[in-house]
Amino acid sequence: MTASTQDAGEPEVDFDVVVVGSGPAGSVAAYRLAQAGLSVVLIERGEAPGSKNLSGGVLYGRVLDEVFPGFADEAPVERRITRHVTTFLTPDSSVGIDYAGRALAEPVNAVTVLRARFDPWLAGKAEEAGVFLMPGVRVDSLLTETGPDGATRVVGVQAGDDQLRARVVVAADGVNSFLARSIGLRRKEPTNHMAVGVKAVVKLPRGVIEDRFGVTGDEGAAHAIVGDCTLGIGGGGFLYTNTESLSLGVVLRLDDLVRSGRTAIEVFEHYSQHPGLAHYLRDGEIVEYGSHLVAEGGLAMVGEVATGGLVVVGEAAGLTINSGLTVRGMDLAIGSAIAASDAVAEAVAAGDVSAAGLAGYRRRLDASFVMQDMRTYAKAPAFLERTGMYGAYGELAASIFEGVFTLDGTPRKHLTKVAWEAFRRSPVRARQLVSDGWAGVKAL
Amino acid sequence: MKTTTVPERLAANRFEIDEDESHIEVDQELCRTTGTGKAIIAVCPAGVYSEQDGEILVDYAACLECGTCLAVAAPGALKWRYPRGGFGVSFREG
Ligand SMILES: Cc1cc2nc3c(=O)[nH]c(=O)nc-3n(C[C@H](O)[C@H](O)[C@H](O)COP(=O)(O)OP(=O)(O)OC[C@H]3O[C@@H](n4cnc5c(N)ncnc54)[C@H](O)[C@@H]3O)c2cc1C
């Protein structure tokens, strides 16, 4: 397009929209913008979409089903999660809660994905809709100009020696959020708002996985593990089933990790060798080892999501929820992409891509499940910073069950008595238990 | 599962190493005075950082590109960005 074919006063652009990052947020935003008739380029620094991306891998799929009905039948998903297991580990015991339900299977609630396979499928959907995909290109900075109103606005991106100009840039560049930070929409987060995920993909035969995890066919299990797996550091472990591998990882809050004096490597190795997990992992082979940050600040981290010529979506906008037992980010990324693409298409059509023109994004986001859930879980981060979660409570639960199941010849006692005695021996104090319990009910 | 070391685990990954340019630079002085050196050694899951005779050594080729080091670094102590497009780690699983 040249300036002469455009309305007078309109800037010359290479594309209507530049989307940076082909994770779930970027690919879904690009797809929907192309569907709305806009010209879109999707830029990805990895040699292919997904090649830089890593997650635990449980995708809560309802929102993606709205964009691509029946996606789970077509996309490269691993297993449909029909079993959620929560385990409190101590050095030599484990107490678990196992929830298996048909309600989880029909309609599909959650599936496991491996991002190096799933993200290319999603980006492929965008390409089919007419998006121009540019892999292997790192965007270095935003191009900005001062508009007629005196306000700075984003007019494109710089990648190496190349500049691409657009009416709107969608920053879908993930948790480190360099683009939004570069123009002051985001700050460097305090370390209690960030956690590092350290993960291995462990190969095992399909049948072995099904036997060990109590699932059949394409069903799968998601295990959330707390307690000794992180050596008392705020965070937790996950063990999710893929078709022919397991996703095994820990998530460690950075303030606590630094304070602990331990290394991330040491904690991961302690976890992956934990006797409580040995029977799941036996004879498994690590075929990949990776790490990635997770935003954990919750609602407190979400700041400005739009300015002149720019919207920020997905984890770049701080949109993740850690409820202690689940990490959610992919579904929120997709939800924000839906809100942003609708608002951007509207703003472009109206010829106003200023901050005011793009303000519809925030309104749509606020009204969507994304911000509703962010608000519901607003107290979760503070709750999870309470320390009992990661040590003493697991010990307490374990010693109650030890009292119930160990028949050592002494006369049996009622459960309440066993629990009371275990509680008295434990370092957990009643006041703390009540206060944490109440905070937990309110936060989760 | 067999116990493995970090180099063994990294050996299973695919890396396209940028021979011309490192994406990481440390300020030795600030790393020492702010405690950043110790912190980045502790938090890096790939063991990119180590210390020898009071200097921080950087093995950028092993970087998994998470950015955890930058998140704990004091202002100015570390310059860290993503490798150039197409270079660095390439996950096949994710
Ligand atoms: C250990 C761990 C476990 C998790 N478990 C789950 C889970 O079970 N369920 C869940 O829903 N979420 C989970 N998450 C969170 C989830 O992975 C993220 O929230 C989600 O991927 C965010 O999507 P996104 O599209 O915003 O960003 P990303 O998926 O991070 O995509 C960003 C993209 O931008 C590209 N990019 C970045 N900068 C540039 C640049 N300058 N130029 C060009 N391209 C660039 C990147 O290469 C990447 O492809 C987990 C995260 C971690 C770390």
Side-chain angles (χ1 to χ4, degrees), chain A residues 45 47 51-52 138 188 289, chain B residues 13-14 45 73 82 87 90:
Chain A
R45 70 185 185 89
E47 61 177 5
S51 66
K52 299 294 185 185
R138 179 190 66 190
K188 180 175 173 182
Y289 176 68
Chain B
N13 292 0
R14 215 171 77 75
Y82 294 129
F87 287 106
S90 218

Side-chain angles (χ1 to χ4, degrees), chain A residues 20-26 43-46 50 52-60 115 119 137-140 172-175 179 197-199 238 240 250-251 292-294 313-316 319-320 327-331 333, chain B residues 82:
Chain A
V20 184
S22 67
I43 308 179
E44 167 57 46
R45 70 185 185 89
K52 299 294 185 185
N53 299 346
L54 174 160
S55 83
V58 176
L59 168 64
Y60 293 87
R115 300 289 299 276
D119 289 16
V137 175
R138 179 190 66 190
V139 167
D140 294 320
D173 55 337
V175 62
L179 296 183
V198 189
K199 174 185 172 182
F238 58 87
Y240 300 153
V250 280
V251 173
H292 206 280
L293 280 173
V294 203
V313 294
E315 207 164 356
L319 298 171
T320 41
V327 178
R328 283 172 55 193
M330 291 184 279
D331 61 324
Chain B
Y82 294 129

Side-chain angles (χ1 to χ4, degrees), chain A residues 58-380:
Chain A
V58 176
L59 168 64
Y60 293 87
R62 293 287 165 80
V63 63
L64 191 56
D65 219 45
E66 284 170 26
V67 185
F68 301 113
F71 85 92
D73 296 325
E74 182 197 331
V77 303
E78 298 292 318
R79 288 176 181 273
R80 298 168 193 237
I81 299 303
T82 53
R83 185 161 219 149
H84 282 272
V85 180
T86 305
T87 304
F88 291 88
L89 276 188
T90 76
D92 56 6
S93 69
S94 66
V95 175
I97 299 166
D98 185 342
Y99 169 58
R102 286 307 303 167
L104 294 174
E106 281 305 330
V108 176
N109 177 62
V111 292
T112 40
V113 296
L114 287 165
R115 300 289 299 276
R117 293 175 206 165
F118 180 74
D119 289 16
W121 175 82
L122 207 51
K125 283 287 175 194
E127 277 188 285
E128 282 169 27
V131 169
F132 182 59
L133 176 67
M134 247 173 149
V137 175
R138 179 190 66 190
V139 167
D140 294 320
S141 58
L142 296 170
L143 299 174
T144 57
E145 270 176 13
T146 308
D149 55 352
T152 304
R153 58 194 171 99
V154 174
V155 295
V157 297
Q158 177 95 35
D161 296 331
D162 297 321
Q163 297 194 337
L164 280 175
R165 299 179 81 85
R167 295 174 212 286
V168 179
V169 173
V170 177
D173 55 337
V175 62
N176 282 305
S177 187
F178 286 116
L179 296 183
R181 269 201 234 166
S182 73
I183 57 159
L185 272 197
R186 299 196 62 79
R187 53 174 184 164
K188 180 175 173 182
E189 290 296 324
T191 50
N192 64 334
H193 280 183
M194 296 299 238
V196 56
V198 189
K199 174 185 172 182
V201 176
V202 179
K203 196 147 185 60
L204 277 172
R206 182 188 285 247
V208 169
I209 292 174
E210 285 157 18
D211 290 347
R212 286 184 191 172
F213 287 84
V215 293
T216 51
D218 64 355
E219 294 173 357
H223 288 225
I225 299 147
V226 291
D228 185 56
C229 56
T230 58
L231 289 163
I233 294 165
F238 58 87
L239 180 60
Y240 300 153
T241 56
N242 303 311
T243 310
E244 292 185 303
S245 66
L246 304 174
S247 287
L248 169 76
V250 280
V251 173
L252 308 169
R253 226 178 54 231
L254 295 187
D255 58 327
D256 233 18
L257 173 60
V258 170
R259 203 180 306 132
S260 74
R262 297 191 184 270
T263 69
I265 291 169
E266 170 189 6
V267 180
F268 174 81
E269 290 177 353
H270 167 81
Y271 171 65
S272 61
Q273 294 301 321
H274 201 288
L277 300 183
H279 58 293
Y280 292 118
L281 300 174
R282 197 176 56 244
D283 300 329
E285 185 203 346
I286 294 182
V287 292
E288 188 168 274
Y289 176 68
S291 64
H292 206 280
L293 280 173
V294 203
E296 295 224 321
L299 188 63
M301 251 183 95
V302 183
E304 295 290 317
V305 294
T307 185
L310 180 82
V311 294
V312 187
V313 294
E315 207 164 356
L319 298 171
T320 41
I321 292 172
N322 180 352
S323 71
L325 302 179
T326 56
V327 178
R328 283 172 55 193
M330 291 184 279
D331 61 324
L332 303 175
I334 293 164
S336 69
I338 293 173
S341 49
D342 287 349
V344 168
E346 214 172 73
V348 170
D352 179 6
V353 295
S354 68
L358 290 168
Y361 169 36
R362 184 61 195 238
R363 277 197 300 278
R364 286 169 194 272
L365 191 65
D366 278 337
S368 73
F369 80 94
V370 175
M371 289 307 285
Q372 284 169 10
D373 287 3
M374 293 295 292
R375 287 191 290 267
T376 301
Y377 288 101
K379 293 202 171 84

Side-chain angles (χ1 to χ4, degrees), chain A residues 420-444:
Chain A
W420 175 241
E421 285 173 359
F423 181 55
R424 283 214 329 234
R425 282 195 307 273
S426 139
V428 176
R429 296 280 62 95
R431 197 175 238 238
Q432 182 197 354
L433 189 64
V434 170
S435 140
D436 282 359
W438 179 236
V441 167
K442 284 197 299 185
L444 309 178

